[in-house]
Amino acid sequence: MLLVLLVIVIALPFIRGRKKFFSNSGVVWTTNYHITYEAKRDLNDSIQFLLNAIDNSVSPYNKQSLITAVNDNKTNRVDALFVKLFNKSWQVNQASDGLYDPTVMPLVNAWGFGFKSGKLPTQAQLDSLLSFVGIEKTTLKDNILVKNDSRTQFDFSSIAKGLACDEIAQMLARNGAVNYMVEIGGEVVTRGVNERGVPWHVSIDMPVPDDSNGPVHANALILKLDSMAVATSGSYRKFKEVNGKKVSHIVNPKTGGSETSSLLSVSIVAGDCMTADAWATACMAMGLEATRLKFGNDNTLGVMTISADDDGNFVIWSNKRFASLVDN
């Protein structure tokens, strides 16, 4: 009897220390998220803490958020999350010749894709807004943001989901998780293997518009990812139709115009999701030819574009880095 009890006592710490897979899902920023990870306990409380922290910091739709106060010139002191987004945005802005810019919110609102709506803007109205659009018209030092023009406003919506994926992935790693997949609205970070012991597989959608029942998902290809992130930006779901004309949510921060081209979607694979997220948006503004020219021989980022030819057929292009990750 004593021997049996001794065996049970010794085994209990081992049982408590075993890891298992958990899945948490929900809705944040009007999009779905799915997070699967191997850990010793359910970490949903920590996930919710991070999502709330990011919302309270950089959501322009949260009237009590820090970024709302910054945009309303009620404060110029920012937090660590704002700094991360600003620094990455500045980096991609410079590398994309200014075609990625988180200060386009007034232009986005003018076109009716932000939290305001109205008639299509005139060129004179766009030119007026362009006078205070541009991250180069601001500086950030020691967590103090200085605007050259008080009307400059920030909107990190095109990169915040990527940041959230990275922050949650880092939290999971700090808690001992070596196998996880974090997905928020189609932006994904992976590490290790899934519950079946095989690498994570991520589907990239064809740019098929939504129908009356909601989003239509048609696989373009499957990526096999480990310790990488992928983000996709497209014009095929976020557009408005005004007087028979499609108006894209992709706004050129240099001209103020709504970008319309044969480029339908861009998927980027990078070491972190914030970088992938920012570059996916930047490439949509850059257009098809400029994206191919810049990333054709690039070995750091995997890039795939889906465009339409003159007959409306899909054309898929990728650089070698991206192609090497496709699960054939």
Side-chain angles (χ1 to χ4, degrees):
M1 185 66 175
L2 179 61
L3 179 60
V4 173
L5 288 175
L6 181 62
V7 170
I8 292 174
V9 170
I10 292 174
L12 281 175
F14 173 76
I15 293 170
R16 290 195 190 102
R18 290 180 61 183
K19 295 181 181 179
K20 66 176 184 177
F21 276 86
F22 296 88
S23 291
N24 301 127
S25 61
V27 177
V28 65
W29 308 309
T30 70
T31 193
N32 296 318
Y33 69 85
H34 304 87
I35 302 167
T36 302
Y37 52 94
E38 187 181 23
K40 293 181 180 180
R41 66 177 183 88
D42 189 329
L43 296 168
N44 186 55
D45 55 345
S46 297
I47 292 170
Q48 295 307 314
F49 177 84
L50 287 171
L51 291 175
N52 288 335
I54 294 169
D55 186 76
N56 289 329
S57 174
V58 295
S59 172
Y61 305 102
N62 180 348
K63 298 302 183 183
Q64 280 70 51
S65 70
L66 172 63
I67 200 169
T68 297
V70 169
N71 288 340
D72 292 343
N73 299 302
K74 294 179 179 178
T75 185
N76 64 351
R77 180 172 291 279
V78 298
D79 62 10
L81 292 170
F82 190 107
V83 170
K84 288 181 181 180
L85 290 166
F86 182 95
N87 288 340
K88 179 57 66 174
S89 296
W90 183 279
Q91 179 188 52
V92 177
N93 173 272
Q94 297 300 296
S96 65
D97 192 28
L99 288 174
Y100 177 78
D101 200 304
T103 69
V104 297
M105 187 164 72
L107 295 171
V108 173
N109 288 337
W111 284 102
F113 287 99
F115 45 76
K116 298 178 182 178
S117 62
K119 297 180 180 179
L120 293 182
T122 65
Q123 189 57 52
Q125 290 171 326
L126 294 176
D127 290 341
S128 176
L129 295 173
L130 284 168
S131 66
F132 55 87
V133 167
I135 193 173
E136 75 281 357
K137 297 182 174 78
T138 68
T139 56
L140 179 62
K141 184 178 180 180
D142 297 328
N143 287 44
I144 299 297
L145 179 74
V146 178
K147 305 178 186 178
N148 295 350
D149 191 310
S150 63
R151 295 173 295 176
T152 299
Q153 295 180 311
F154 283 85
D155 182 359
F156 293 115
S157 296
S158 63
I159 192 174
K161 287 189 298 180
L163 170 73
C165 288
D166 291 335
E167 292 291 312
I168 291 172
Q170 291 164 20
M171 179 276 294
L172 294 174
R174 288 195 301 272
N175 281 275
V178 295
N179 300 307
Y180 54 75
M181 181 179 71
V182 181
E183 181 264 326
I184 303 178
E187 324 300 18
V188 181
V189 175
T190 67
R191 183 183 178 189
V193 297
N194 63 21
E195 196 166 6
R196 299 187 305 275
V198 298
W200 298 99
H201 287 69
V202 179
S203 171
I204 304 296
D205 278 356
M206 292 293 288
V208 180
D210 299 346
D211 63 19
S212 58
N213 296 318
V216 176
H217 297 287
N219 292 350
L221 48 79
I222 305 292
L223 296 177
K224 184 165 62 176
L225 298 180
D226 181 7
S227 301
M228 284 180 281
V230 62
T232 298
S233 181
S235 60
Y236 59 99
R237 284 183 176 148
K238 292 184 180 180
F239 64 87
K240 302 179 80 173
E241 199 161 309
V242 181
N243 298 325
K245 176 185 176 183
K246 282 187 177 181
V247 179
S248 169
H249 78 292
I250 303 295
V251 176
N252 187 315
K254 301 178 80 172
T255 67
S258 168
E259 290 297 297
T260 54
S261 72
S262 62
L263 183 56
L264 300 175
S265 72
V266 178
S267 296
I268 304 288
V269 174
D272 64 275
C273 204
M274 191 163 48
T275 296
D277 214 357
W279 270 114
T281 300
C283 288
M284 286 300 301
M286 289 165 58
L288 182 61
E289 295 306 319
T291 296
R292 288 181 175 182
L293 182 63
K294 183 173 183 63
F295 292 106
N297 296 315
D298 190 276
N299 291 319
T300 57
L301 296 181
V303 181
M304 182 190 77
T305 64
I306 303 180
S307 56
D309 63 18
D310 293 338
D311 297 321
N313 300 311
F314 291 136
V315 178
I316 299 177
W317 172 90
S318 68
N319 63 3
K320 291 182 179 179
R321 174 61 177 149
F322 192 96
S324 69
L325 301 169
V326 175
D327 187 45
N328 297 311

